[in-house]
Amino acid sequence: MEPIRQHTGLVYPLNRANVDTDQIIPKQFLKRISRQGFGKFLFYNWRYDENEEPRKDFSLNNPKYQRATILVAGENFGCGSSREHAPWALQDFGFRIIIASSFADIFYNNCTKNGILPVKLTDQEAQQLIKNAEASDYELTVDLEAKKVYDREGFSADFDLAAYQREMLLNGWDDISVTLTHSDKIDQFEKTHVVY
Amino acid sequence: MTKAKTIIEKIWDKNVVHQEEGKPGLLYIDLHLVHEVTSPQAFEGLRLKGRKVRQPNRTFATMDHNVPTIHQNIVKDEISKLQMDTLKKNCEEFGVPIAGVGHPHQGIVHVIGPELGLTQPGKTIVCGDSHTSTHGAFGALAFGIGTSEVEHVLATQTVWQSKPKTLNVKINGKLGVGVTAKDLILAIIGQQGVDFGTGYVIEYTGEAVRNLSMEGRMTICNMSIEAGARAGLVSPDETTIEYLRNRPYAPKGEEFEQATKDWLNLATDEGATYDRTVEINAEEIEPQVTWGTNPSMCVPINANIPNPDQADNENDKNEIQHALDYMGLTASVPISSVTIEHVFIGSCTNSRLQDLEQAASVIKGRKVHPDVTAIVVPGSQTVKLEAEKSGLDQLFKDAGFEWREPGCSMCLAMNGDAVPPGERCASTSNRNFEGRQGADSRTHLVSPEMAAAAAIEGRFVDVRTFV
């Protein structure tokens, strides 16, 4: 996967809590057998009406957000199903960073496996970013090395993530090749492990 | 004396292959369940790198999400058919056992694991599906993973996991008559919220849990994910052992006796401590109905739909209003006044034989309301066969229910079984998200008994007074 160290981009604000993976990518698009091409189905039921025309009242349809790379949302983002199609759709649309005050566990993990950086800020900080982005075209910088989020107007916030996940994202490493370096330990383990 | 441990710690310690300070542990996986939706990209990944499935005999596949429930083998949707055929080909290529369409063990992955005896206490179990938490009912550490992790488990039989924090949900007292495991878990999520379990593994303890059947325990563990917890479990006891005895993949004879000792030893030790404890009083819980667009938005059957003007803060107010708008509901009216057009009895939460028996017990010769379309989708071929042996299918059909073939069906409407836009469904499934049962569909989550009663009355009724 593509490494991520420092990223600056346009923020798309989605001021909703508990955005579930059924909203991020509805089930009719889970039938495909490749990883590519899910971006056009992102937030499908919010973006398109029953005639498949873009809904004017859904902000992501504003053409300027075609170049958005940072999404900021309310708490418990990505709850519900384990579908990795959700991060695939966000990534294919162009998002590299998701900011929220909390994330559902499986979604959070799925992001880090795909080179998307999930950033946990406080509720107050996330709400501030949503307000800023709703008010005007708003760019943020996310620095994974320094674990900082900042803008040009003086906003700055620290975030944390597990050292292991940070290392994987910074280097763009693939989990399986790391694990295979421990193959001998798995072999040893299997020799004595009891499973009925 | 050794330190008192929870079952969660015991399973972790038994299955961790490698751990470095401050890093996630490499956890060995004893059972990997696979279905057609979240696996094709994982098998493709193996193929591209020339990798094999490390332990095909610890992997088991079935088809459930896309499977039609009328004439299972006629898949009209070409893309669904391709996904199912792809699983079959992948399993053949990589040597993975599969109970596909036409196999007597086919069914919803979280129904067949337990009924075949593949699910056992102490096992670490994963599947590319968030409702893998269901298997925790047996005292297994079971959780959902994404497709990248599916590929990782196929290749290495392990996953990287941080040692979970432990949450004791202690349910004191007894559930009232007509109050089910489904009502219990909905009421817990209603009280505590949709993310109170995030970052934890839940152990359900207390008198009410001990009194639950394995089917009831599966229902509460199933919906742990709706509380934000990746896994929920119950320490094994005699109820667990008796369920597993003579299951096809359970050990037999002396080996079963040995396994029983090991399994019972896994139960949480007296005096073990948890990172957090939440206490619930079972006696206060009434049959529940969800009114909104996440499972915490539920009320007891005799209560009113909430009013956004009485919300604690602006955010809650907006969220309630948004949900009422989507659901087409009026604030402050009794939930029992809401009429429905559809009933779905099925899903990995409530499609086991006992669920169907309990739904049937409410019918008593009555008929489905003329304005309601009601379907029963057994969780597996095994459930379907057993139900048909005892005449349950005929009982449902005589009442006006449709009796279908096993699969996930209308829980997520991937197979074409959907609730039409703007219509309302009483559903025994687990998620009432916007569009979950079909674009613009409106879902109300309830127990099997409450769903059956709603089918007959055409609106929600209190099953305790429905005689």
Side-chain angles (χ1 to χ4, degrees):
Chain A
M1 65 193 189
E2 205 181 320
I4 188 159
R5 289 181 171 264
Q6 199 185 63
H7 177 89
T8 301
L10 181 69
V11 176
Y12 169 61
L14 182 61
N15 192 12
R16 285 195 62 174
N18 302 315
V19 173
D20 60 73
T21 54
D22 275 82
Q23 302 323 315
I24 298 172
I25 180 112
K27 67 270 181 164
Q28 62 267 37
F29 307 113
L30 308 184
K31 299 179 184 181
R32 302 154 68 93
I33 55 171
S34 79
R35 282 176 191 247
Q36 277 80 41
F38 288 100
K40 52 183 178 291
F41 310 124
L42 177 68
F43 297 126
Y44 191 83
N45 291 336
W46 289 345
R47 264 164 85 196
Y48 301 101
D49 65 18
E50 55 272 29
N51 303 316
E52 304 191 348
E53 295 295 324
R55 294 184 200 261
K56 290 206 172 65
D57 60 355
F58 187 59
S59 55
L60 192 60
N61 286 329
N62 184 333
K64 74 175 178 185
Y65 289 125
Q66 282 299 317
R67 59 180 187 87
T69 56
I70 301 175
L71 186 150
V72 187
E75 64 181 1
N76 198 28
F77 189 83
C79 59
S81 134
S82 65
R83 58 189 72 166
E84 199 160 312
H85 311 69
W88 295 339
L90 288 159
Q91 186 169 49
D92 192 53
F93 187 90
F95 291 113
R96 298 252 22 224
I97 315 267
I98 316 288
I99 301 176
S101 57
S102 62
F103 292 89
D105 288 338
I106 304 179
F107 176 82
Y108 186 92
N109 254 333
N110 283 343
C111 283
T112 64
K113 310 275 180 206
N114 286 280
I116 296 177
L117 170 59
V119 175
K120 262 186 248 182
L121 296 183
T122 65
D123 216 15
Q124 214 176 5
E125 289 162 347
Q127 282 303 321
Q128 182 63 50
L129 295 181
I130 288 173
K131 277 207 188 87
N132 294 352
E134 282 176 343
S136 64
D137 290 5
Y138 181 60
E139 287 207 340
L140 262 184
T141 299
V142 178
D143 186 336
L144 179 56
E145 287 188 303
K147 295 190 278 185
K148 263 189 191 318
V149 178
Y150 56 89
D151 68 11
R152 278 172 298 204
E153 282 96 53
F155 174 91
S156 175
D158 297 320
F159 66 93
D160 207 2
L161 82 167
Y164 170 81
Q165 286 171 323
R166 179 164 167 270
E167 196 173 84
M168 300 297 284
L169 284 163
L170 282 171
N171 295 294
W173 281 338
D174 150 34
D175 257 359
I176 297 178
S177 41
V178 173
T179 306
L180 289 175
T181 66
H182 299 290
S183 285
D184 53 332
K185 295 191 189 87
I186 303 173
D187 292 342
Q188 280 303 320
F189 180 89
E190 281 180 333
K191 280 185 189 152
T192 55
H193 184 60
V194 177
V195 183
Y196 289 105
Chain B
M1 201 182 114
T2 50
K3 180 181 169 283
K5 283 185 188 173
T6 65
I7 180 170
I8 301 161
E9 293 164 295
K10 290 185 196 182
I11 299 175
W12 178 271
D13 292 348
K14 175 172 81 69
N15 274 55
V16 81
V17 174
H18 173 72
Q19 173 110 54
E20 288 171 39
E21 185 68 30
K23 289 191 173 177
L26 190 61
L27 192 69
Y28 191 78
I29 297 305
D30 296 323
L31 176 64
H32 184 192
L33 298 166
V34 174
H35 65 78
E36 77 276 18
V37 180
T38 53
S39 66
Q41 296 86 350
F43 283 110
E44 182 63 15
L46 293 185
R47 209 175 280 118
L48 290 172
K49 294 269 168 81
R51 289 171 177 151
K52 290 185 181 148
V53 174
R54 185 181 170 97
Q55 291 287 4
N57 58 343
R58 288 186 181 160
T59 313
F60 195 92
T62 190
M63 299 177 187
D64 51 13
H65 286 62
N66 281 282
V67 176
T69 56
I70 305 173
H71 306 305
Q72 262 198 344
N73 45 0
I74 306 172
V75 188
K76 289 181 190 147
D77 182 338
E78 287 296 320
I79 319 175
S80 286
K81 186 167 187 316
L82 178 64
Q83 200 167 52
M84 291 163 66
D85 291 345
T86 302
L87 178 66
K88 192 161 172 274
K89 269 196 284 191
N90 283 333
C91 287
E92 280 164 12
E93 181 182 339
F94 289 93
V96 172
I98 176 169
V101 167
H103 192 286
H105 291 161
Q106 179 268 336
I108 303 174
V109 66
H110 309 309
V111 175
I112 68 166
E115 75 186 5
L116 293 176
L118 286 163
T119 302
Q120 294 166 13
K123 276 191 178 178
T124 49
I125 303 178
V126 295
C127 174
D129 193 288
S130 59
H131 290 113
T132 307
S133 58
T134 313
H135 307 265
F138 291 79
L141 181 60
F143 50 90
I145 55 177
T147 298
S148 294
E149 288 177 310
V150 170
E151 184 179 339
H152 190 279
V153 178
L154 289 172
T156 69
Q157 205 57 32
T158 61
V159 281
W160 291 100
Q161 281 289 300
S162 296
K163 191 172 180 176
K165 289 188 287 179
T166 56
L167 169 55
N168 178 13
V169 174
K170 185 160 187 268
I171 306 156
N172 301 312
K174 292 186 170 66
L175 288 173
V177 175
V179 183
T180 67
K182 182 64 163 288
D183 301 306
L184 171 60
I185 190 66
L186 283 173
I188 293 172
I189 297 167
Q191 269 177 38
Q192 306 285 327
V194 285
D195 55 0
F196 88 99
T198 303
Y200 291 93
V201 169
I202 297 175
E203 182 178 352
Y204 298 96
T205 65
E207 186 186 356
V209 177
R210 287 288 137 226
N211 290 338
L212 286 176
S213 63
M214 288 315 295
E215 289 78 1
R217 294 178 191 184
M218 285 189 253
T219 299
I220 58 170
C221 289
N222 171 275
M223 289 190 69
S224 302
I225 185 71
E226 267 56 69
R230 283 180 83 172
L233 48 64
V234 175
S235 281
D237 58 12
E238 285 303 324
T239 307
T240 323
I241 303 300
E242 285 319 304
Y243 180 99
L244 285 169
R245 197 183 292 278
N246 298 324
R247 298 274 162 186
Y249 288 86
K252 303 282 172 348
E254 266 183 43
E255 200 188 9
F256 188 81
E257 301 314 315
Q258 180 56 46
T260 297
K261 281 186 206 145
D262 286 357
W263 291 341
L264 292 174
N265 277 335
L266 287 165
T268 290
D269 297 329
E270 182 102 22
T273 55
Y274 298 84
D275 293 303
R276 193 180 154 205
T277 295
V278 170
E279 297 211 33
I280 305 283
N281 180 359
E283 320 261 340
E284 287 171 359
I285 293 170
E286 298 183 72
Q288 303 285 310
V289 183
T290 66
W291 56 268
T293 53
N294 75 47
S296 73
M297 294 173 160
C298 61
V299 287
I301 177 66
N302 296 311
N304 289 349
I305 293 168
N307 189 327
D309 294 334
Q310 288 157 10
D312 295 339
N313 59 58
E314 200 64 17
N315 273 354
D316 286 358
K317 181 180 170 174
N318 292 340
E319 220 182 323
I320 294 171
Q321 189 59 56
H322 190 97
L324 290 178
D325 291 347
Y326 179 85
M327 293 294 290
L329 292 174
T330 311
S332 300
V333 307
I335 190 77
S336 58
S337 68
V338 175
T339 57
I340 53 155
E341 292 87 29
H342 298 268
V343 168
F344 169 59
I345 298 176
S347 87
C348 58
T349 314
N350 281 128
S351 65
R352 298 176 181 84
L353 187 64
Q354 191 181 74
D355 298 313
L356 305 191
E357 287 168 349
Q358 288 172 346
S361 72
V362 173
I363 297 173
K364 295 179 188 156
R366 287 174 284 211
K367 302 282 181 202
V368 169
H369 191 276
D371 298 339
V372 174
T373 307
I375 67 170
V376 182
V377 183
S380 68
Q381 297 292 352
T382 308
V383 171
K384 182 166 180 277
L385 193 69
E386 285 176 17
E388 289 173 354
K389 272 191 210 155
S390 67
L392 268 186
D393 61 325
Q394 203 53 48
L395 198 150
F396 279 115
K397 284 191 269 190
D398 289 347
F401 287 83
E402 291 176 39
W403 180 252
R404 300 283 189 91
E405 296 280 333
C408 300
S409 181
M410 210 182 263
C411 172
L412 85 168
M414 243 185 116
N415 72 334
D417 296 342
V419 176
E423 297 192 10
R424 204 175 285 291
C425 182
S427 178
T428 65
S429 54
N430 40 60
R431 288 187 177 135
N432 50 345
F433 296 157
E434 289 182 23
R436 173 79 178 181
Q437 294 192 291
D440 293 319
S441 61
R442 294 162 173 169
T443 303
H444 298 268
L445 303 176
V446 287
S447 71
E449 288 91 324
M450 288 286 285
I456 290 160
E457 287 297 303
R459 64 180 179 87
F460 293 108
V461 285
D462 189 341
V463 73
R464 295 170 299 179
T465 54
F466 189 65
V467 283

